[in-house]
Amino acid sequence: MEADIVKIPLFDLTRQYKELRNEMIKKIDEAISSGVVIMGQNVEEIEERIANYIGVKHAIAVGNGSDALVLALQSMGIEKGDRVITTPYTFFSTASAITRLGGIPIFIDVGEDFNIDVGLVEKKIKSDKSIKAVIPVHLFGKSVDMEYLKSICDKYGVKILEDAAQSIGSEAFVGGKRVKTASIGDAGILSFFPTKNLGAYGDAGMVLTNSDEIADRVRILRVHGSHQKYVHEEIGYNSRMDEIQAAILNVKFSHLDMWIDKRINAASNYSKLLGGDTVLCPAVPKDRTHVFHQYVVRTERREELREYLTNEGIGTAIYYPIPLHLQKCFSFLNYKPGDFPVAEKLSKESLAIPMFPEITFEEQEYVAKKIKEFMEERS
Ligand SMILES: *Cc1c(COP(=O)(O)O)cnc(C)c1O
């Protein structure tokens, strides 16, 4: 008999579904049976629950996180030719949202912790008075130093749109209290892509804001720019959340905080198991939260380690192999290799290892053992 082949995926949706299946099917059936399948009761319910959870006045459900970025930026007044700062080390749509509106992404390098370097942002804002907005990304679930960033932006009248697609539930310390990411800027966005910490079983996203004006504009932009059917005030989009996705999110939402705790616990297990000088583990800041959407380690021998783990049945991923300033589609921005050395180095060294709330300690032990084995064999 062959030995059992261990398989530990990077991410696993099926374990969670087994637990939630009965409730899920009931809720989805109710949603379809109601006869209203787009923007009905479930959408209203998830908007209200998330607004309360994040601590903002308005939550507006939209089709996906990428659209949420576009609708939020547009509602904040970003238009053709406007210069918007963001990080080159993020998912593609953070930057494409700017160009979809005809704006110009101004990339600023990240720090060693993967998040935008707020000190460099300050320098840029001071020297370039044409900057309209900044999109900080709480990458992998780790909050950006929003206290610092907000103080600079407030001082220079620069708007903030938080990309919290990976950081639902993560907190930052601002103005003497802990507040949730996506509640700190002029607006924030969430993605409910299936693999995100709160994921639907299809595409869905949300815009969060305390501004009545921004909220009202996002609400009309998601339905072709109209308050009233067939009366169009501006040219909008079709970007709505459907009832099936909203029903799924309503079922899952009750478990979110528990899942986040499990991720944080799993991350601390990894850091202990891997400890010492194997690979560089993510650090957790004292005054901010990291909700570990991904657990990303660093090593100069990333490609070899990845291959080794793949052969041992362990799923990994590279977030992100090509920083955005080097993407072909952004070549018109005229950036070149060497412009953002930290982002470029991280893109060569980072490796995400299996992370999801249901991962077991035994699985983590196996992953850590294989990483150590690799490091010892090859050193
Ligand atoms: C997932 C993600 C998005 C986009 O969300 P979609 O729902 O997939 O469109 C935007 N920004 C970041 C940082 C993301 O991780």
Side-chain angles (χ1 to χ4, degrees), residues 63-67 69 90-91 93-94 137 139 163 165-166 189-193 196 203-205 293 320:
N64 55 70
S66 304
D67 282 357
L69 286 162
T90 174
F91 180 63
S93 61
T94 313
V137 181
L139 203 73
D163 184 338
Q166 302 184 3
I189 71 97
L190 296 172
S191 163
F192 305 115
F193 184 76
K196 298 285 157 79
D203 281 309
H293 171 56
Y320 295 92

Side-chain angles (χ1 to χ4, degrees), residues 130-257:
S130 72
I131 300 292
K132 288 274 163 61
V134 181
I135 311 180
V137 181
H138 308 287
L139 203 73
F140 305 145
K142 180 181 184 173
S143 305
V144 169
D145 183 351
M146 291 305 294
E147 176 124 274
Y148 185 23
L149 184 65
K150 193 170 159 25
S151 72
I152 308 157
C153 290
D154 284 352
K155 190 165 153 198
Y156 292 92
V158 170
K159 292 189 171 140
I160 299 176
L161 170 60
E162 291 176 82
D163 184 338
Q166 302 184 3
S167 71
I168 186 168
S170 190
E171 294 174 335
F173 203 70
V174 180
K177 47 181 200 242
R178 290 182 85 89
V179 288
K180 293 239 161 54
T181 54
S183 75
I184 305 155
D186 295 84
I189 71 97
L190 296 172
S191 163
F192 305 115
F193 184 76
T195 61
K196 298 285 157 79
N197 286 14
L198 178 62
Y201 293 140
D203 281 309
M206 202 171 263
V207 177
L208 295 308
T209 184
N210 282 311
S211 154
D212 295 344
E213 235 172 280
I214 293 173
D216 186 57
R217 203 155 165 216
V218 173
R219 277 197 190 98
I220 71 164
L221 283 174
R222 72 177 165 177
V223 288
H224 302 292
S226 62
H227 276 111
Q228 195 189 335
K229 230 177 184 176
Y230 308 123
V231 181
H232 303 277
E233 288 153 56
E234 65 174 319
I235 299 168
Y237 309 82
N238 171 8
S239 188
R240 302 170 292 206
M241 193 187 286
D242 65 67
E243 281 292 292
I244 293 181
Q245 299 314 326
I248 290 160
L249 292 171
N250 276 317
V251 172
K252 286 194 174 192
F253 179 75
S254 327
H255 306 273
L256 177 62
D257 277 334

